[in-house]
Amino acid sequence: MQEGEKVTQLKKDALKQSGYNAFELNKSGVFGIFALVCLTMYSLILYIRQYEKKFYTPRYMLYMALSSILLTFSCVLISYSNLTSNYLMPFTAFTILLAIFTNPVLSFLVSILLLAILSVTLFFDTQLTFTFVCAILSSSYLVSKISYSKRFDIIWSGFQVGLVMFFTMFFIAFFEVQTQAFSRIFHLHVQNPFIGIINGLVCSMLVVFFVPIIEKLCKIVSPYALIELADQNQDLLSKMRSSAPGTFHHSLMVANLCEAAAQAIGADSILARVGAFYHDIGKLQRPLFFIENQSYFGVENPHTTLTPRQSKMVITLHTKDGVEIAKKHGLPQVIIDFIIQHHGESLAGHFYNKAIEQEGAENVTEGQFRYPGPKPQTKETAILMLADALESAVRSLKKPTQEEIEAIVNKIFTERLNDGQLSD
């Protein structure tokens, strides 16, 4: 072809088959790409606001916007470069990262939408698009099976995604030339599918590298950070074990209940467990005012010398104290939510009834004996509210039977529902 010669569709196809890209990247093209990405992100924001409210926060919006822009830039550079294969585009890394910080369903949706936009904009062929659809689907599924106990799981998942791409690319190549001899198929096409395995491994390494960066930059907590917080040698948990052993044991029991309940209803079991570990750290300020610690140190109940109103103030203050301690030790906001919400606006019933006995019903209102709130805002904090009350109630029984435990469960759940504590 000569300079200035008009490029027809036939010539474009011929250039493409020869390994050249016949489409010029100009300013209007770049603007069009980002306009489409912005439109897609706007549609996703509407979806998230309606169906994934947990992620409808500035931090998550910032993360998804930045990662989408970075993916777009990467795909544009690879597409217009003759040095690398289009099959090295980092859709796998994008999908795995998004699944780790949000959930596999949302990750799959965002990735597929971006793939559709980029396929149209960058003129992906059908084989390339189909291969990345398979990669995105397998990435989302495999991340949903990760236990987050070790970071090597990400590398293994990336390798598995690479295998999916390998077989997808191989069978596409096989069916493209199925009329030719198998030996020629192997000779001409078997080297290309290995790019899929390279893609999976490189993308998984990028994920491991970017996870702590995203945590710092966007202030989002990954499951790996939560697992680190669950280490009982952490300063706060270690201090609780020695200074408030009863509260520490109570927190462990509640954590087990929360984890099982979260798994049963499809909530975040890791978050529920770790939030339960820290929900009562405010009791470190005055551990002996809480009954679970008094027997460990052999002291009398100090509430016998206080009025019901004073006792209520001391007891309900542990949520505020917990928030202050958590901020001092740099705990993430998602854990602080468990501390401040696990009692909601529930009634401190024991001291309320005691005040009525001493002062008369006409001089006491429920509002004076309620926790400051707010009510639980997520499934995980609601689970904690129920598990916390349940563990304390069952522990107070001397020899509980299964029937008694079931009765307490029904009683506590009904009281919280009727009191409106789960309304948010």
Side-chain angles (χ1 to χ4, degrees), residues 182-317:
F182 181 78
S183 59
R184 188 178 177 189
I185 295 170
F186 189 87
H187 176 72
L188 290 175
H189 295 277
V190 76
Q191 69 272 23
N192 291 331
F194 283 102
I195 297 176
I197 296 179
I198 295 172
N199 181 298
L201 289 174
V202 171
C203 284
S204 62
M205 294 176 187
L206 287 174
V207 169
V208 173
F209 175 76
F210 275 108
V211 163
I213 295 176
I214 294 170
E215 287 180 332
K216 293 291 184 181
L217 183 63
C218 299
K219 305 296 183 183
I220 302 175
V221 181
S222 74
Y224 292 103
L226 291 176
I227 292 296
E228 291 172 0
L229 286 174
D231 183 356
Q232 295 181 19
N233 292 319
Q234 291 279 353
D235 290 343
L236 279 175
L237 296 182
S238 180
K239 184 177 180 181
M240 187 189 298
R241 185 169 54 236
S242 59
S243 301
T247 299
F248 179 75
H249 180 263
H250 161 73
S251 297
L252 293 182
M253 297 297 291
V254 171
N256 291 334
L257 289 172
C258 288
E259 183 177 31
Q263 289 175 346
I265 67 168
D268 190 332
S269 59
I270 298 176
L271 177 59
R273 180 176 183 83
V274 178
F277 279 148
Y278 289 90
H279 78 282
D280 269 344
I281 58 174
K283 293 181 179 180
L284 287 171
Q285 292 286 69
R286 306 169 189 83
L288 297 183
F289 280 87
F290 298 90
I291 191 169
E292 67 265 23
N293 296 313
Q294 293 163 11
S295 59
Y296 276 90
F297 296 102
V299 299
E300 294 184 3
N301 190 341
H303 289 285
T304 57
T305 62
L306 301 177
T307 67
R309 294 181 184 274
Q310 290 174 327
S311 293
K312 174 264 175 185
M313 185 177 299
V314 172
I315 292 297
T316 58
L317 197 60

Side-chain angles (χ1 to χ4, degrees), residues 233-413:
N233 292 319
Q234 291 279 353
D235 290 343
L236 279 175
L237 296 182
S238 180
K239 184 177 180 181
M240 187 189 298
R241 185 169 54 236
S242 59
S243 301
T247 299
F248 179 75
H249 180 263
H250 161 73
S251 297
L252 293 182
M253 297 297 291
V254 171
N256 291 334
L257 289 172
C258 288
E259 183 177 31
Q263 289 175 346
I265 67 168
D268 190 332
S269 59
I270 298 176
L271 177 59
R273 180 176 183 83
V274 178
F277 279 148
Y278 289 90
H279 78 282
D280 269 344
I281 58 174
K283 293 181 179 180
L284 287 171
Q285 292 286 69
R286 306 169 189 83
L288 297 183
F289 280 87
F290 298 90
I291 191 169
E292 67 265 23
N293 296 313
Q294 293 163 11
S295 59
Y296 276 90
F297 296 102
V299 299
E300 294 184 3
N301 190 341
H303 289 285
T304 57
T305 62
L306 301 177
T307 67
R309 294 181 184 274
Q310 290 174 327
S311 293
K312 174 264 175 185
M313 185 177 299
V314 172
I315 292 297
T316 58
L317 197 60
H318 83 273
T319 56
K320 181 181 178 182
D321 290 338
V323 172
E324 293 177 355
I325 293 173
K327 290 181 177 179
K328 180 180 178 181
H329 285 78
L331 292 184
Q333 183 60 45
V334 69
I335 300 299
I336 294 176
D337 290 341
F338 281 84
I339 298 170
I340 196 66
Q341 296 175 19
H342 77 275
H343 281 293
E345 298 173 358
S346 59
L347 182 68
H350 174 74
F351 298 113
Y352 170 70
N353 294 326
K354 194 173 181 181
I356 290 178
E357 292 177 5
Q358 294 183 7
E359 303 177 25
E362 66 279 3
N363 298 318
V364 180
T365 63
E366 286 191 358
Q368 296 170 336
F369 286 83
R370 286 190 177 274
Y371 281 86
K375 299 175 183 178
Q377 306 292 306
T378 64
K379 293 178 182 179
E380 292 79 15
T381 53
I383 288 172
L384 175 60
M385 168 183 276
L386 298 170
D388 182 45
L390 177 61
E391 196 281 333
S392 299
V394 172
R395 179 164 32 88
S396 66
L397 302 176
K398 294 182 178 180
K399 294 182 179 181
T401 64
Q402 181 176 341
E403 290 75 17
E404 289 177 318
I405 293 175
E406 289 179 354
I408 289 177
V409 170
N410 291 330
K411 179 176 180 292
I412 289 175
F413 282 30

